PDB file of all heavy atoms in Angstrom:
ATOM      1  N   ILE A 536      -4.604  -3.595   0.912  1.00 95.00           N
ATOM      2  CA  ILE A 536      -4.626  -3.603   2.367  1.00 95.00           C
ATOM      3  C   ILE A 536      -5.994  -4.106   2.822  1.00 95.00           C
ATOM      4  O   ILE A 536      -7.016  -3.551   2.428  1.00 95.00           O
ATOM      5  CB  ILE A 536      -4.371  -2.195   2.947  1.00 95.00           C
ATOM      6  CG1 ILE A 536      -2.980  -1.717   2.565  1.00 95.00           C
ATOM      7  CG2 ILE A 536      -4.551  -2.194   4.456  1.00 95.00           C
ATOM      8  CD1 ILE A 536      -2.658  -0.314   3.043  1.00 95.00           C
ATOM      9  N   GLU A 537      -5.974  -5.173   3.603  1.00 95.00           N
ATOM     10  CA  GLU A 537      -7.220  -5.668   4.185  1.00 95.00           C
ATOM     11  C   GLU A 537      -7.346  -5.048   5.568  1.00 95.00           C
ATOM     12  O   GLU A 537      -6.491  -5.252   6.430  1.00 95.00           O
ATOM     13  CB  GLU A 537      -7.206  -7.189   4.291  1.00 95.00           C
ATOM     14  CG  GLU A 537      -8.538  -7.745   4.757  1.00 95.00           C
ATOM     15  CD  GLU A 537      -8.557  -9.256   4.736  1.00 95.00           C
ATOM     16  OE1 GLU A 537      -7.872  -9.851   3.891  1.00 95.00           O
ATOM     17  OE2 GLU A 537      -9.263  -9.826   5.582  1.00 95.00           O
ATOM     18  N   ALA A 538      -8.400  -4.255   5.756  1.00 94.00           N
ATOM     19  CA  ALA A 538      -8.583  -3.516   7.000  1.00 94.00           C
ATOM     20  C   ALA A 538      -9.752  -4.083   7.787  1.00 94.00           C
ATOM     21  O   ALA A 538     -10.794  -4.409   7.225  1.00 94.00           O
ATOM     22  CB  ALA A 538      -8.815  -2.037   6.713  1.00 94.00           C
ATOM     23  N   LEU A 539      -9.568  -4.168   9.084  1.00 93.00           N
ATOM     24  CA  LEU A 539     -10.613  -4.582  10.009  1.00 93.00           C
ATOM     25  C   LEU A 539     -11.572  -3.413  10.181  1.00 93.00           C
ATOM     26  O   LEU A 539     -11.144  -2.291  10.454  1.00 93.00           O
ATOM     27  CB  LEU A 539      -9.977  -4.959  11.342  1.00 93.00           C
ATOM     28  CG  LEU A 539     -10.853  -5.538  12.427  1.00 93.00           C
ATOM     29  CD1 LEU A 539     -11.419  -6.880  11.988  1.00 93.00           C
ATOM     30  CD2 LEU A 539     -10.031  -5.716  13.692  1.00 93.00           C
ATOM     31  N   LEU A 540     -12.861  -3.658   9.979  1.00 94.00           N
ATOM     32  CA  LEU A 540     -13.846  -2.579  10.081  1.00 94.00           C
ATOM     33  C   LEU A 540     -14.380  -2.470  11.502  1.00 94.00           C
ATOM     34  O   LEU A 540     -14.661  -3.473  12.144  1.00 94.00           O
ATOM     35  CB  LEU A 540     -15.006  -2.816   9.114  1.00 94.00           C
ATOM     36  CG  LEU A 540     -14.644  -2.795   7.629  1.00 94.00           C
ATOM     37  CD1 LEU A 540     -15.879  -3.054   6.777  1.00 94.00           C
ATOM     38  CD2 LEU A 540     -14.005  -1.470   7.241  1.00 94.00           C
ATOM     39  N   ASP A 541     -14.529  -1.239  11.968  1.00 92.00           N
ATOM     40  CA  ASP A 541     -15.139  -0.987  13.270  1.00 92.00           C
ATOM     41  C   ASP A 541     -16.636  -0.751  13.062  1.00 92.00           C
ATOM     42  O   ASP A 541     -17.099  -0.564  11.936  1.00 92.00           O
ATOM     43  CB  ASP A 541     -14.479   0.226  13.938  1.00 92.00           C
ATOM     44  CG  ASP A 541     -14.608   1.471  13.086  1.00 92.00           C
ATOM     45  OD1 ASP A 541     -13.991   1.518  12.000  1.00 92.00           O
ATOM     46  OD2 ASP A 541     -15.335   2.387  13.487  1.00 92.00           O
ATOM     47  N   GLU A 542     -17.404  -0.768  14.137  1.00 92.00           N
ATOM     48  CA  GLU A 542     -18.855  -0.653  13.994  1.00 92.00           C
ATOM     49  C   GLU A 542     -19.302   0.737  13.542  1.00 92.00           C
ATOM     50  O   GLU A 542     -20.427   0.895  13.060  1.00 92.00           O
ATOM     51  CB  GLU A 542     -19.569  -1.048  15.290  1.00 92.00           C
ATOM     52  CG  GLU A 542     -19.208  -0.244  16.498  1.00 92.00           C
ATOM     53  CD  GLU A 542     -19.826  -0.798  17.767  1.00 92.00           C
ATOM     54  OE1 GLU A 542     -20.292  -1.950  17.785  1.00 92.00           O
ATOM     55  OE2 GLU A 542     -19.839  -0.058  18.753  1.00 92.00           O
ATOM     56  N   ASP A 543     -18.454   1.738  13.660  1.00 95.00           N
ATOM     57  CA  ASP A 543     -18.782   3.067  13.144  1.00 95.00           C
ATOM     58  C   ASP A 543     -18.310   3.259  11.703  1.00 95.00           C
ATOM     59  O   ASP A 543     -18.509   4.330  11.127  1.00 95.00           O
ATOM     60  CB  ASP A 543     -18.150   4.152  14.025  1.00 95.00           C
ATOM     61  CG  ASP A 543     -18.750   4.189  15.419  1.00 95.00           C
ATOM     62  OD1 ASP A 543     -19.956   3.879  15.567  1.00 95.00           O
ATOM     63  OD2 ASP A 543     -18.012   4.511  16.366  1.00 95.00           O
ATOM     64  N   LEU A 544     -17.650   2.244  11.154  1.00 95.00           N
ATOM     65  CA  LEU A 544     -17.118   2.251   9.790  1.00 95.00           C
ATOM     66  C   LEU A 544     -16.207   3.456   9.531  1.00 95.00           C
ATOM     67  O   LEU A 544     -16.225   4.073   8.473  1.00 95.00           O
ATOM     68  CB  LEU A 544     -18.251   2.199   8.757  1.00 95.00           C
ATOM     69  CG  LEU A 544     -19.097   0.932   8.771  1.00 95.00           C
ATOM     70  CD1 LEU A 544     -20.248   1.036   7.798  1.00 95.00           C
ATOM     71  CD2 LEU A 544     -18.250  -0.278   8.474  1.00 95.00           C
ATOM     72  N   LYS A 545     -15.368   3.782  10.503  1.00 94.00           N
ATOM     73  CA  LYS A 545     -14.465   4.929  10.373  1.00 94.00           C
ATOM     74  C   LYS A 545     -13.405   4.681   9.302  1.00 94.00           C
ATOM     75  O   LYS A 545     -13.072   5.581   8.542  1.00 94.00           O
ATOM     76  CB  LYS A 545     -13.809   5.235  11.719  1.00 94.00           C
ATOM     77  CG  LYS A 545     -14.808   5.793  12.718  1.00 94.00           C
ATOM     78  CD  LYS A 545     -14.160   6.069  14.045  1.00 94.00           C
ATOM     79  CE  LYS A 545     -15.205   6.576  15.037  1.00 94.00           C
ATOM     80  NZ  LYS A 545     -14.640   6.734  16.376  1.00 94.00           N
ATOM     81  N   VAL A 546     -12.868   3.456   9.240  1.00 93.00           N
ATOM     82  CA  VAL A 546     -11.883   3.121   8.208  1.00 93.00           C
ATOM     83  C   VAL A 546     -12.518   3.272   6.831  1.00 93.00           C
ATOM     84  O   VAL A 546     -11.954   3.898   5.935  1.00 93.00           O
ATOM     85  CB  VAL A 546     -11.358   1.678   8.388  1.00 93.00           C
ATOM     86  CG1 VAL A 546     -10.468   1.277   7.233  1.00 93.00           C
ATOM     87  CG2 VAL A 546     -10.632   1.530   9.693  1.00 93.00           C
ATOM     88  N   TYR A 547     -13.682   2.698   6.664  1.00 95.00           N
ATOM     89  CA  TYR A 547     -14.385   2.773   5.384  1.00 95.00           C
ATOM     90  C   TYR A 547     -14.645   4.233   5.009  1.00 95.00           C
ATOM     91  O   TYR A 547     -14.421   4.636   3.871  1.00 95.00           O
ATOM     92  CB  TYR A 547     -15.711   2.003   5.480  1.00 95.00           C
ATOM     93  CG  TYR A 547     -16.381   1.778   4.156  1.00 95.00           C
ATOM     94  CD1 TYR A 547     -16.086   0.659   3.389  1.00 95.00           C
ATOM     95  CD2 TYR A 547     -17.308   2.681   3.662  1.00 95.00           C
ATOM     96  CE1 TYR A 547     -16.696   0.444   2.165  1.00 95.00           C
ATOM     97  CE2 TYR A 547     -17.918   2.491   2.438  1.00 95.00           C
ATOM     98  CZ  TYR A 547     -17.612   1.371   1.698  1.00 95.00           C
ATOM     99  OH  TYR A 547     -18.209   1.168   0.481  1.00 95.00           O
ATOM    100  N   GLY A 548     -15.072   5.027   5.986  1.00 94.00           N
ATOM    101  CA  GLY A 548     -15.358   6.442   5.741  1.00 94.00           C
ATOM    102  C   GLY A 548     -14.133   7.233   5.317  1.00 94.00           C
ATOM    103  O   GLY A 548     -14.209   8.094   4.441  1.00 94.00           O
TER     104      GLY A 548
END
Side-chain angles (χ1 to χ4, degrees):
I536 297 177
E537 186 175 329
L539 185 64
L540 296 179
D541 59 292
E542 59 187 16
D543 293 328
L544 296 175
K545 291 179 182 175
V546 173
Y547 192 88

